Amino acid sequence: MQVDPRGQRFAAAITTAVLAIVLVTGSVWLLAAQALVFAAAVAAGVRRSPYGLLYAWLIRPRLGPPPETEDSAPPRFAQAVGLVFALVGLVGYLAVGAWLGIAATALALLAAFLNAAFGLCLGCEMFLLMRRLTPAGRTP
């Protein structure tokens, strides 16, 4: 399945804002909500995630069709990486210590910001690197 890369940057911008608010406020509930968004993107695909649907309903009709599309597997993997960081952040805030919650949230924020601002998807790059390093016939 192909996705509009502009939608991925839109989702990354919202994620950047949400994670910045989490860092400023220490809101475990908001981090849990973002974790659910990541989980929805992993389970249903990035086009059917909450931010993907918001983009499709509100933004894309005003932009027209994308000049190019990309495979959905790397962004979906990136959402799984975001989910792991959000879950580690939740464990940190709730059980281990705020330092772990802050660190995990800050790393996820950095990755989301790089995608939103510069179109650099770190999770996507990890996916492609893993694919190159995996012997032929096996999938990561």
Side-chain angles (χ1 to χ4, degrees), residues 4 6 54-66:
D4 183 345
R6 301 172 301 180
L54 187 63
Y55 173 77
W57 291 335
L58 296 179
I59 307 298
R60 186 170 178 184
R62 289 167 176 76
L63 299 177

Side-chain angles (χ1 to χ4, degrees), residues 64-140:
E68 59 185 26
T69 59
E70 64 186 24
D71 182 25
S72 65
R76 195 171 193 171
F77 178 82
Q79 294 294 303
V81 172
L83 175 60
V84 169
F85 276 95
L87 293 175
V88 169
L90 285 170
V91 168
Y93 279 118
L94 294 173
V96 176
W99 65 270
L100 181 59
I102 292 168
T105 303
L107 289 172
L109 171 61
L110 174 64
F113 174 76
L114 288 174
N115 193 358
F118 304 109
L120 175 61
C121 175
L122 294 180
C124 300
E125 294 300 324
M126 280 177 46
F127 177 87
L128 296 173
L129 179 63
M130 287 172 45
R131 194 164 215 179
R132 278 190 288 265
L133 297 176
T134 303
R138 293 178 46 205
T139 56

Side-chain angles (χ1 to χ4, degrees), residues 28-44:
V28 174
W29 294 108
L30 189 55
L31 184 56
Q34 181 60 51
L36 289 175
V37 170
F38 285 139
V42 172

